[in-house]
Amino acid sequence: MSSGPGAASVPAPDPHDSPPTSDTRPRKSSMFSSLKVRNYRLFFMGQVVSNIGTWMQRIAQDWLVLSLTGSSAAVGITTALQFLPMLLFGLYGGVLVDRLRKRPTLLVTQSAMALTALALAVAVLTGHVQVWHVYVAAFAVGLATVVDNPARQSFVSELVGPRQLQNAVSLNSANFQSARLVGPAVAGILITGVGTGYAFLFNGLSFIAPLTGLLLMRARELHVVERAPRGKGQLREGVRYVTGRPELIWPIVLVGFVGTFAFNFPVYLSAFADDVFHAGAGAYSMFNTLMAVGSVAGALLAARRGTARLRLLIAAALVFGALEIVAATTPTLWMFALLMVPLGLFGMTVNVTTNTSIQMSTDPAMRGRVMALYMMVFLGGSPVGAPIVGWITDTYGARVGLAAGGAVAAVAAAVIGLILARVGNLRLSVGWHRGHPRVRFVPREHQEELAPAA
């Protein structure tokens, strides 16, 4: 357990994967308990509207670039430009977030993203859009995200406190993924009906909802979190804090591999829709929608779950990688589409489990820097991975690209699982439980006790 500020209220799980103390353990029977908090409810409702607009813009942006260039690599470049600022400046954004008040910071970043979307809408609707306009807009959104993302992630703890943190993080993910059920479908209709410009317009206007929610919050009801004072060496301090804790550094390394190579769905799915199945924007929207169904299920299951265990993270990443390899070999559009549901479920399990376990393991005064490092690795890996998988997809085909991404995720999960087991002094136990085979890691001193069950 960390000995810094807030360690008593937010205990860190040890490498043995022990559960949190009873003071902070989420209540398993209350899936929506954090929505009872008024400030979080306002935050949640604002994000519902804004997230729909965000997904509409993602679909429209990818399809606009593909229409303008005919290149999957160009789609990869757009994704790279959007996440490049996180890779370059993510840690500096975390330092700022630890120093600043979260609510005013979010008012500024959300307004900046709204203006960017509206500017892109004007360029498209007036018929003057060029691909470099999309590149500039993607980079501008990425700059705002450098501060917005860690601020939103760490603001959740101020809204609900440590007891409701896992539930709130899981509901945030369910919120974001539920928007995928609406956003891509509406975007598909708009793109085929009236063009991509109105999707960008809707996204710009959708930021009115979260901005209003932030303004209506009651400051006195926020949970007080110690802000880091201005000082030298705070970035290095954040890096040392993470690298000195196996329960933080190895999950971040794992999501780095997964985010860089396996989560590049804008490249993969647009290529499958256009080049493999020749089905157009409608199929691309359908793939995203079905993946959202699985993602929502994964997030809601996480909200019910009592703990965020590292062994669950490793298992989910292994299955996620294997499913991508299977999806890459499917011969028909409908088989591929149906696999989007379990892909979404296990991908979301990886996302939520990592996010929650990291937040629960981090002192509040360090949370902005730690979450910035996590998001920098998870999202910032795309500038490296997107052009690579885009080139593989263009050169060798979408099937090879997707299979390669899945293989990287599966191998990374297996290797990091073994590393965590070694750090935690664990051994693999294979046995039977209630008539079913069971494979798990157990402390080495317990191995001899469990041997007869094998």
Side-chain angles (χ1 to χ4, degrees), residues 42-394:
L42 288 168
F43 178 82
F44 184 89
M45 291 188 294
Q47 292 299 308
V48 168
V49 179
S50 182
N51 286 338
I52 291 173
T54 296
W55 278 112
M56 290 177 65
Q57 175 150 330
R58 284 191 178 189
I59 300 298
Q61 176 179 279
D62 297 339
W63 202 256
L64 176 62
V65 171
L66 196 63
S67 301
L68 291 171
T69 66
S71 169
S72 294
V75 177
I77 291 170
T78 307
T79 302
L81 286 170
Q82 185 159 333
F83 295 123
L84 181 62
M86 180 65 73
L87 181 64
L88 297 177
F89 312 116
L91 286 176
Y92 295 98
V95 171
L96 285 175
V97 168
D98 279 337
R99 293 176 182 174
L100 300 173
R101 289 187 299 156
K102 307 299 185 296
R103 188 164 62 142
T105 301
L106 288 171
L107 286 169
V108 173
T109 57
Q110 297 275 294
S111 298
M113 288 189 283
L115 292 174
T116 302
L118 292 173
L120 191 55
V122 170
V124 176
L125 292 173
T126 57
H128 294 98
V129 69
Q130 299 179 37
V131 70
W132 70 266
H133 295 148
V134 187
Y135 289 164
V136 170
F139 188 76
V141 170
L143 285 174
T145 303
V146 166
V147 176
D148 183 80
N149 221 314
R152 277 190 297 110
Q153 297 286 340
S154 54
F155 189 47
V156 174
S157 64
E158 296 187 25
L159 293 170
V160 300
R163 286 181 62 87
Q164 300 283 2
L165 182 58
Q166 173 160 338
N167 182 265
V169 169
S170 300
L171 289 181
N172 278 355
S173 298
N175 183 336
F176 186 70
Q177 297 302 327
S178 296
R180 255 173 120 174
L181 299 173
V182 179
V186 177
I189 294 172
L190 289 177
I191 291 170
T192 56
V194 294
T196 56
Y198 288 96
F200 299 125
L201 178 62
F202 182 94
N203 183 45
L205 296 177
S206 73
F207 282 96
I208 294 172
L211 291 171
T212 302
L214 289 167
L215 292 171
L216 291 176
M217 288 179 185
R218 296 170 182 163
R220 65 181 182 275
E221 295 178 7
L222 294 174
H223 292 255
V224 178
V225 172
E226 179 183 353
R227 280 186 284 157
R230 295 180 63 88
K232 294 182 179 180
Q234 289 180 320
L235 191 151
R236 291 192 299 272
E237 180 187 9
V239 174
R240 285 196 302 268
Y241 181 86
V242 172
T243 55
R245 290 163 171 77
E247 72 274 12
L248 294 179
I249 184 61
W250 289 114
I252 289 175
V253 171
L254 175 57
V255 299
F257 280 105
V258 174
T260 301
F261 297 102
F263 264 52
N264 272 290
F265 289 111
V267 178
Y268 295 138
L269 299 187
S270 61
F272 266 86
D274 196 43
D275 300 330
V276 177
F277 299 120
H278 309 289
Y284 182 47
S285 296
M286 180 182 66
F287 295 157
N288 281 277
T289 301
L290 289 171
M291 185 172 287
V293 172
S295 298
V296 171
L300 292 177
L301 287 173
R304 287 280 292 182
R305 196 174 297 123
T307 55
R309 297 181 181 275
L310 295 182
R311 67 190 184 199
L312 175 64
L313 169 62
I314 298 300
L318 273 169
V319 175
F320 177 75
L323 283 170
E324 284 202 341
I325 295 172
V326 172
T329 65
T330 54
T332 66
L333 184 149
W334 290 109
M335 290 177 65
F336 182 83
L338 289 175
L339 280 172
M340 295 300 101
V341 177
L343 267 173
L345 190 151
F346 284 98
M348 182 51 54
T349 301
V350 171
N351 191 347
V352 173
T353 304
T354 308
N355 190 317
T356 305
S357 65
I358 288 173
Q359 291 212 48
M360 293 293 290
S361 303
T362 304
D363 295 334
M366 298 291 297
R367 193 167 284 142
R369 277 165 284 183
V370 173
M371 294 309 296
L373 179 60
Y374 162 62
M375 298 309 298
M376 183 187 77
V377 172
F378 183 55
L379 299 179
S382 292
V384 177
I388 294 173
V389 300
W391 175 80
I392 293 172
T393 299
D394 279 342

Side-chain angles (χ1 to χ4, degrees), residues 31-44:
M31 184 180 290
F32 303 101
S33 57
S34 55
L35 288 176
K36 297 176 183 177
V37 181
R38 179 183 181 274
N39 282 345
Y40 179 73
R41 197 162 59 244
L42 288 168
F43 178 82
F44 184 89

